[in-house]
Amino acid sequence: MIFRRSYRRELFLYFLMVFVVFTTVISIIQYNREKEYKVSELKSMLNTYSDFVHSSIMHNNIGLDKDFSKLDSIKNLIPRHDIRITVTSLDGTVLYDSFYKNYSEMSNHLSRAEFQGALFYHTGSDIRQSATTKQDFYYYAKKYDNYFIRSAVVYSVNIRELLRVESLFWYVMAILFLVTSTVLLYVSDTVGKSILKLKDFAVKAARNENIELPVEFPNNELGEIGHQIVNIYSNLNKANIALSNEKDKLIHHIQISQEGIAIFSEFDEKILANNFFIQYMNLISDRQITNANQIHEIPEFEPIRKFKERFSTEHKHVTDKTLPVKRISISKNLRYFDVQCIIFHDKSYEIAINDVTQSVKQKKLKQEMTSNIAHELRTPVSSIKGYLETILSGKEIPVEKQRYFLEKATSQIERLSELIRDISVLTKIDESSELYQMEEIALKSVVGDVIENLHSHIVESKASVENKIKQNSKIKGNRALIFSIFQNLIENSLNYGGDNIAITIDEYMDDKHKVYVSVSDNGPGIEEEHQVRIFERFYRVDKGRNRETGGTGLGLAIVKNAVELHGSKINVKTRKGGGVEFLFTLNKVADIY
Ligand code: ADP
């Protein structure tokens, strides 16, 4: 409202100023025209009087006897009494003056402006103050054959008079002013509405306040401009909202990303950093890191710092479509990190830290595994080759001996196929664990199946096996892998426990979520120095013996990986009273994952 008042007042003041200037100019022009008109009117009047005086002089033959005093009576015939008549000879000597009786004493008049004009141009005029009356006179002199006749009259073009004369003009001007003001106020009001709406809109937009769209504007050009501005604003607003949504998504993505990500300004101030970034920086740094800005204090990041500085100090422009990227690998405290720095166009930059320990270790494991496999294959393959070459050597070998060699070769082939089976199980767990379908399993019956499967081996070893798993224990797992876990563990007890051992499969505890399983035997057990390593691939306590007895060295590695695939960990310990005990948990059905 304040705006509207000040806006209208201002508009009105400007209008008033223009109006006053306009009226003054018109008045000046009018005044001058009036003056000119008066002068020409006077001129013609005085000319008439001069001619009248001249004709009177001629008529009365005054010129001949030079008795100009007769003019007094003639002058009285002129209706206006304020008219002054002066007659001078052609040399300027005053011959008669109607105002001044002693005209013979008057000085020569030829030098006066009106006489000079009459002398050269036949008539002349001048406006000046009379020395006697102190009034302004309009003098008009005309040259005749023998004399000049000058008529004069008091001259005044009075402003007040003019105003009085032109009162109609002032009435018209006043009405014009009123009408124009009213129209102007009306126009200013409609224009003001558009401006006011635009102003309200601009103030709200600047304050980021809620603006109800669409904003209605009066139907005029300003309103059209207002509409366009509001359209531009709402488009901009939509774009802003979309942009901020994208930004939110990006920030959210960065926050939950497994990568450590931080974005820094050109001046190394942190703009954004996620938790992993700080966590990884702490794993790499020897000092405790609490702020992403400390990254440049960690010596391991020196190459990144140098790379980034090259762009800020050399005033290089990042104009390429492909942004400059620097990648380095950091290995610290048995962990491996890939670090990548990207410089953006505005010279802000992103540092991403990736923990690749797992994949590096996996790679190493695979390399080890490959060389181990080659090593493990070599023994059976070369003995099979030896047996077959002996048979095929052409030497006379008794049939029993040949049979003996073939049996040996067959058992090595069995070893080979066991090895290949175990390797493929391990590889499948390692690389395609998703192929193992999880289902509901009655644990006691799976263990029962394993015992049945190993029946001849159990009988042969005169072992006793007790399945103490609860009848109603239901777990969630992969049948084949669960079977393989118990098969490997029980078979190991049979293989390494010696004869007459007792094997117990026990569900020693359970809670809401888990079944706690123990597989134990009362055999010779495993020395503690070996216990920490028996889950490694191809690790054997007694290498020579095991190779001969046929273990692949992968049994417990399969068990460990299978248990881990079921979300648990396996531990080994020496059983009370001798023997070995393996402990692990399995998830109950309610805990399906
Ligand atoms: P393998 O296929 O040779 O049996 P495993 O990985 O199954 O290999 O076992 C690793 C080693 O752990 C075996 O060589 C054996 O010496 C030892 N071991 C495993 N289970 C038992 C057990 N119940 N009693 C004694 N030693 C065992």
Side-chain angles (χ1 to χ4, degrees), residues 91-109:
D91 63 1
T93 313
V94 179
L95 303 174
Y96 172 79
D97 193 287
S98 65
F99 272 28
Y100 200 61
K101 288 297 153 205
N102 298 330
Y103 44 76
S104 52
E105 292 165 16
M106 284 170 79
S107 57
N108 190 300
H109 270 45

Side-chain angles (χ1 to χ4, degrees), residues 492-493 496 521 525-526 534 539-541 546 551-553 555-556 580:
N492 274 352
S493 294
Y496 307 109
D521 65 51
I526 306 166
I534 51 168
Y539 186 81
R540 296 176 179 100
V541 175
N546 283 354
T552 59
L556 286 180
V580 68

Side-chain angles (χ1 to χ4, degrees), residues 108-154:
N108 190 300
H109 270 45
L110 195 63
S111 61
R112 311 273 160 97
E114 67 275 16
F115 286 96
Q116 284 294 311
L119 190 65
F120 293 107
Y121 307 108
H122 190 60
T123 61
S125 62
D126 189 28
I127 298 167
R128 66 173 181 277
Q129 209 179 55
S130 155
T132 38
T133 59
K134 302 286 178 215
Q135 278 176 301
D136 276 347
F137 271 85
Y138 183 81
Y139 296 99
Y140 177 79
K142 190 168 178 181
K143 187 186 167 198
Y144 297 91
D145 291 345
N146 302 313
Y147 45 76
F148 292 108
I149 299 178
R150 183 184 74 175
S151 311
V153 71
V154 173

